Amino acid sequence: AAALVEIEAGGAFWRVRNVTTRDLIMTGIPMLAKLPSVAEGEADEVEGRAQAAASMDPAAIMDIVQVQHAIVCAGVVAGRDGAEAEWEPLRIVVEQADEDLEAVPPCVCVESLDNHTRVALFNAIMSHSSDSGRMAKALANFRGGADRAATP
């Protein structure tokens, strides 16, 4: 797979990198262990996700949003305003206090991006990083390990 993927979202162009399992662990992936498991071979993945989301408490949903934000921060490496503009290195940061548009490279808070852009970036990073489903299997193994570790 290519090292970087370019996407258009929110009226800008973005370069995102492959985010490794190690990157995900560093950004708080253990919170994903809170997601209810969806058994392999269940009727429909989308239906399974909807059922999982419906069974989660609001605090767990906020944890997942924070993980999504962290993945966007880990994956975005550059941006530009138009198709012909020069690529500019860019850091996406979690904390509003760390936003500094005059810094080199500029630091943009993930919350400053509109929801559509955040979701598009997250989806692009996860798709680029999934490596034909191997990441999903690794996460399932991780979650299974977390479930076993929590059981005395």
Side-chain angles (χ1 to χ4, degrees), residues 91-120:
R91 284 188 54 223
I92 306 293
V93 295
V94 174
E95 298 294 328
Q96 185 69 45
D98 294 332
E99 183 172 79
D100 183 355
L101 302 179
E102 302 303 318
V104 178
C107 298
V108 177
C109 180
V110 67
E111 288 288 337
S112 295
L113 304 173
D114 63 78
N115 190 55
H116 170 78
T117 301
R118 285 192 307 264
V119 169

Side-chain angles (χ1 to χ4, degrees), residues 20-71:
T20 66
T21 303
R22 182 176 186 276
D23 294 328
L24 295 180
I25 290 168
M26 297 301 290
T27 61
I29 203 69
M31 287 186 267
L32 289 180
K34 295 180 184 179
L35 281 173
S37 294
V38 176
E40 191 171 317
E42 246 183 61
D44 179 45
E45 183 179 341
V46 173
E47 180 180 327
R49 286 182 185 170
Q51 289 173 352
S55 68
M56 293 175 66
D57 68 84
I61 292 171
M62 287 305 299
D63 286 346
I64 299 307
V65 169
Q66 289 174 352
V67 169
Q68 289 174 340
H69 287 182
I71 290 169

